[in-house]
Amino acid sequence: MKFELKEISIRAKQEFEMINITEQVKDTVRECGISNGIVYVITEHTTTGIAVNEALPCVEKDIMQTLDRLIPENYPYNHNHYLPSYGTIGGNTPGHLKSLLTGNHCVFPIVEGKVKLGSAADIYFCEYDGIKNRKYMIYVMGE
Amino acid sequence: MKFELKEISIRAKQEFEMINITEQVKDTVRECGISNGIVYVITEHTTTGIAVNEALPCVEKDIMQTLDRLIPENYPYNHNHYLPSYGTIGGNTPGHLKSLLTGNHCVFPIVEGKVKLGSAADIYFCEYDGIKNRKYMIYVMGE
Amino acid sequence: MKFELKEISIRAKQEFEMINITEQVKDTVRECGISNGIVYVITEHTTTGIAVNEALPCVEKDIMQTLDRLIPENYPYNHNHYLPSYGTIGGNTPGHLKSLLTGNHCVFPIVEGKVKLGSAADIYFCEYDGIKNRKYMIYVMGE
């Protein structure tokens, strides 16, 4: 059994952004040389998410706008106070909540060396509190 | 280590429907003849979801109605425009968003040949953009 | 390949509570003596959830309050009727819905015997319908 963890650096260009990482996941799986197994994509940050959705700019926009409608930026959140551990005021509650709703990972089978995705299913790294240097894990288990 | 992927065809009877697929998952695991391992249930479509919840018709109805309240059908979504790749107007944004909130997969251990579910926990295929021919994966890894 | 399932009992002190279970997960993985593999944390109840988020009391409060804003306690849910199988009136629809939005599990790699978490990422058992005796699974697969 082979176990391979790759940590990928990523940096959005905007405060809120859905970044399609499907090709990166496919490439990493190919390089691992595993025939059968499973691949996990897991974000390392709690104001980001991993989503599976259709790769259309209008759908990406609808996702971001709907999350913003459900979890508005301007709202008296508890986190909006001085945090000694931060040395500043907590201001990214919406990011933590969008992360909760989105989830922090996805998983797909590896069959005959290839990631078995669904129909019109792409993998997204969702930035809800940019612009920051971020990392996500691609973890492959198999034979 | 054994790896088995089964793709299951499914078709809702209504535009929005929660279909209980627990027995199908249990049967597939039984047929695989694996004693210890893990089973993943993953939908292949981005206007559908996989949920784990209690098998009560009133709870199913509440889930569908609440998602519809949070993500209304009538709303000026960006996806509502002519898409050359579709040859039609994108009209299923609510499905993409309900899919995001629900998630596209679930996972349970296999212990002594049986799926180890929780208490009153059933597995649902959630159709948010029917009526269409759909597929989901049951992927079993184990020994 | 080693497969280990541990069921952990847990009981919130309040009706709604986020309980940080990260140390329990780390300890269980350590005791398993696995070098490389994967750990799943899965709740056994459908009015609870498993979340990954930052361990700050103000963020925990924001999560609970936002879920309550999106899925209010006082609302004419379908589940609010007499259920012969319960012997009482179903009153925990908000719990079922918060569970759907949160998800019922999380997953992390095990690398060199340790759980590979993200940055400021803690694991929470979310009680949305307490106070009850609950259980969640820690399932470890690896070598």
Side-chain angles (χ1 to χ4, degrees), chain C residues 4-84:
Chain C
E4 287 221 15
L5 173 66
K6 202 170 170 181
E7 289 184 85
I8 311 287
S9 294
I10 194 164
R11 189 178 163 91
K13 292 198 185 75
Q14 300 164 58
E15 191 176 357
F16 310 110
E17 190 176 346
M18 294 192 65
I19 307 174
N20 193 325
I21 57 172
T22 315
E23 287 312 310
Q24 175 71 66
V25 175
K26 282 181 179 171
D27 289 351
T28 302
V29 167
R30 210 177 293 125
E31 287 159 17
C32 284
I34 280 167
S35 296
N36 289 292
I38 195 115
V39 57
Y40 303 88
V41 182
I42 308 171
T43 180
E44 299 200 8
H45 311 271
T46 54
T47 54
T48 65
I50 300 293
V52 175
N53 227 302
E54 192 174 0
L56 286 170
C58 50
V59 170
E60 296 169 13
K61 225 171 165 178
D62 281 328
I63 289 172
M64 281 303 189
Q65 289 181 357
T66 301
L67 288 175
D68 192 58
R69 178 172 57 76
L70 295 175
I71 302 159
E73 284 292 311
N74 292 313
Y75 190 85
Y77 296 107
N78 298 288
H79 190 37
N80 295 354
H81 67 98
Y82 184 79
L83 286 159

Side-chain angles (χ1 to χ4, degrees), chain A residues 6-40:
Chain A
K6 201 169 171 182
E7 289 183 87
I8 311 286
S9 294
I10 194 164
R11 188 178 164 92
K13 292 200 185 76
Q14 301 166 57
E15 191 176 357
F16 310 110
E17 190 176 345
M18 295 191 66
I19 307 175
N20 193 327
I21 57 172
T22 315
E23 288 311 312
Q24 176 71 68
V25 175
K26 282 181 179 172
D27 288 352
T28 303
V29 167
R30 210 175 293 126
E31 287 159 18
C32 285
I34 279 167
S35 296
N36 289 291
I38 196 110
V39 57
Y40 303 89

Side-chain angles (χ1 to χ4, degrees), chain A residues 1 36-38 40 51-54 56 58-59 61-63 65-67 69-70 101-102 105-111 116-122 128 141-143, chain B residues 1-3 5 7 38 40 42-47 69-72 75-81 83 85-86 92-93 96-97 99-102 104-105 137 139 141:
Chain A
M1 194 77 167
N36 289 291
I38 196 110
Y40 303 89
V52 176
N53 227 303
E54 192 174 0
L56 285 170
C58 49
V59 169
K61 224 170 166 181
D62 280 328
I63 289 172
Q65 290 182 356
T66 301
L67 288 174
R69 178 172 56 78
L70 295 176
L101 296 187
T102 308
H105 75 280
C106 73
V107 58
F108 287 102
I110 301 170
V111 180
K116 170 72 180 149
L117 291 166
S119 134
D122 275 62
Y128 297 132
M141 273 171 68
E143 286 179 355
Chain B
M1 195 76 166
K2 224 172 160 181
F3 303 90
L5 173 65
E7 290 184 84
I38 196 111
Y40 303 88
I42 308 171
T43 181
E44 299 199 7
H45 311 273
T46 56
T47 54
R69 179 172 56 79
L70 296 175
I71 302 157
Y75 190 84
Y77 296 106
N78 298 287
H79 190 37
N80 296 354
H81 67 97
L83 287 159
S85 59
Y86 279 28
N92 56 1
T93 287
H96 287 291
L97 277 150
S99 173
L100 180 96
L101 296 187
T102 308
N104 79 330
H105 75 280
M137 311 181 216
Y139 190 57
M141 272 173 68

